[in-house]
């Protein structure tokens, strides 16, 4: 994987990925700022409408409304994380479409970091909710819970793993397909519309980008719900 | 059978099995989705959302296999 490493303070950093991440951060932050500053009530601007749609969408999956979010601080924290994840992953994956850029999520570095953030947040929320009895929530189903405990622990550890690998695999394989579809035709891909296969795959990649961002966010919400809900598994 | 021939065979079989798994899984989900929409067309929006979530989840493991077999284990 193309990763020109920088050496900063004794650590090796992946330079290209870092720069792509900064580009994504600048895009998301500037879009959000422009949307918020130019917000009008009654005649929403285009960008404001887009962000309101997004906020309503995520709030709907949390089972509340944007107005309800303003009241509850803990819900607000969860919403902040979900909205940040969704926007970051969506813009990162979409950055892949523009030729000089590549998605920062095409390396396990970025996706594993995101999955670890979700993992830490979920378990910290669970501990905050259940305090000392958090370990007991892993014993599902009465007496058989002790027998199943190793499996439950493995399942809990596999969650950040599959979360990171799913996103990484989708984006990396997508990028690779773009390259492979070019190599099939060789030099012909530059003339006579020989690039139509790559373009078709790019269109599918845009759909996959949005879908993977959505799935990552939904799974983060589901894991958080599992960790903080009282009662059944 | 030399080591490189074994590598190529292993890659081919691994990728083929991954594609098989993804195809069958997605086919099952989509067929149930179409059946559900045929029974109740009004539920199409909600069912389609669930279908896309399921496809994304199901395709995760074949994609993991693809990445591992294609790029990690062949070096």
């Amino acid at each position: 994987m193309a990763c020109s490493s920088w050496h900063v303070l004794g650590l090796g950093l992946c330079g290209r990925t870092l720069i792509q991440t900064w580009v994504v951060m600048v895009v998301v932050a500037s879009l959000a700022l422009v949307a918020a500053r130019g917000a009008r009530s009654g005649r929403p601007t285009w960008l404001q409408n887009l962000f309101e749609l997004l906020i309503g969408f995520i709030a709907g999956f949390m089972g509340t409304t944007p107005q309800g979010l303003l009241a509850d601080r803990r819900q607000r924290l969860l919403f902040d994380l979900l909205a940040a994840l969704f926007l970051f992953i969506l813009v990162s994956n979409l950055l892949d479409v523009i030729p000089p850029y590549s998605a920062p999520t095409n390396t396990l570095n970025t996706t594993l970091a995101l999955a670890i953030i979700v993992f830490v947040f979920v378990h910290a929320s669970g501990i905050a909710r259940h305090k000392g009895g958090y370990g007991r929530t892993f014993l599902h189903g009465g007496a058989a819970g002790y027998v199943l405990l190793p499996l439950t622990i493995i399942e809990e550890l596999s969650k950040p793993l599959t979360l990171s690998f799913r996103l990484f695999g989708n984006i990396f394989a997508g990028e690779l397909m773009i390259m492979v579809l070019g190599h099939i035709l060789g030099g012909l891909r530059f003339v006579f519309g020989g690039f139509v296969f790559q373009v078709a795959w790019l269109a599918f990649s845009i759909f996959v980008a949005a879908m993977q961002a959505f799935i990552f966010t939904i799974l983060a919400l589901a894991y958080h719900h599992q960790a903080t809900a009282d009662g059944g598994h | 059978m030399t080591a490189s021939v074994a590598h190529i065979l292993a890659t081919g079989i691994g990728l083929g099995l991954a594609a098989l798994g993804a195809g069958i899984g997605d086919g099952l989900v989509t067929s149930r989705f179409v059946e559900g929409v045929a029974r109740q067309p009004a539920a199409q929006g909600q069912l389609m959302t669930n279908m896309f979530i399921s496809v994304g989840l199901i395709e995760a493991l074949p994609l993991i296999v693809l990445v591992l077999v294609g790029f990690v284990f062949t070096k």
Side-chain angles (χ1 to χ4, degrees):
Chain A
M1 281 176 258
C3 189
S4 66
S5 49
W6 303 342
H7 293 279
V8 175
L9 303 172
L11 293 171
L13 300 173
C14 204
R16 188 187 173 94
T17 306
L18 265 183
I19 295 183
Q20 309 292 3
T21 312
W22 294 338
V23 170
V24 170
M25 281 164 59
V26 165
V27 167
V28 172
S30 53
L31 277 179
L33 266 176
V34 169
R37 290 297 157 84
R40 307 184 293 232
S41 91
R43 270 193 321 131
T45 60
W46 181 84
L47 212 52
Q48 174 190 355
N49 225 349
L50 193 68
F51 270 87
E52 284 182 357
L53 198 69
L54 178 70
I55 292 176
F57 184 65
I58 298 183
F61 274 105
M62 287 171 60
T64 172
T65 61
Q67 288 77 13
L69 276 176
L70 288 174
D72 194 345
R73 202 184 126 249
R74 202 161 267 170
Q75 290 267 63
R76 184 73 178 276
L77 193 63
L78 174 65
F79 171 80
D80 286 346
L81 178 74
L82 292 180
L85 277 176
F86 183 74
L87 275 174
F88 180 80
I89 298 177
L90 181 66
V91 176
S92 304
N93 297 349
L94 286 180
L95 203 62
D96 214 359
V97 174
I98 306 173
Y101 294 114
S102 62
T105 36
N106 74 349
T107 167
L108 203 54
N109 297 329
T110 318
T111 60
L112 196 56
L114 291 170
I116 288 178
I117 290 176
V118 169
F119 180 73
V120 168
F121 180 75
V122 161
H123 287 285
S125 297
I127 292 177
R129 167 81 181 71
H130 295 278
K131 309 256 175 4
Y134 185 54
R136 240 169 290 135
T137 61
F138 287 112
L139 302 169
H140 306 299
Y146 288 94
V147 177
L148 290 176
L149 190 62
L151 279 177
T152 309
I153 291 183
I154 292 181
E155 177 192 357
E156 282 299 316
L157 288 177
S158 78
K159 282 176 184 172
L161 216 63
T162 57
L163 213 50
S164 60
F165 268 97
R166 183 182 300 114
L167 183 57
F168 162 64
N170 267 291
I171 304 304
F172 181 62
E175 278 193 352
L176 211 70
M177 269 298 284
I178 296 174
M179 196 183 69
V180 163
L181 282 174
H183 275 296
I184 286 180
L185 294 180
L188 273 177
R189 72 178 180 276
F190 293 118
V191 296
F192 301 133
F195 47 78
V196 64
F197 298 119
Q198 286 178 306
V199 169
W201 185 255
L202 267 178
F204 183 66
S205 269
I206 296 180
F207 169 66
V208 166
M211 195 169 71
Q212 287 306 314
F214 174 60
I215 285 178
F216 199 99
T217 312
I218 287 292
L219 278 177
L221 178 64
Y223 295 159
H224 179 267
H225 189 71
Q226 276 177 359
T228 58
D230 24 87
H233 172 45
Chain B
M1 173 163 307
T2 62
S4 59
V5 169
H7 266 163
I8 294 176
L9 258 182
T11 310
I13 293 178
L15 292 178
L17 284 174
L20 189 71
I24 291 181
D26 288 349
L28 282 173
V29 165
T30 309
S31 79
R32 294 283 185 269
F33 165 69
V34 168
E35 197 178 332
V37 172
R39 282 175 172 233
Q40 190 173 352
Q44 180 174 356
Q46 178 62 26
L47 282 180
M48 192 177 284
T49 304
N50 284 7
M51 180 189 86
F52 284 135
I53 296 178
S54 305
V55 163
L57 287 173
I58 289 171
E59 297 234 0
L61 273 162
L63 260 163
I64 294 173
V65 168
L66 187 153
V67 168
L68 285 176
V69 168
F71 302 101
V72 175
F73 290 152
T74 60
K75 260 187 282 288

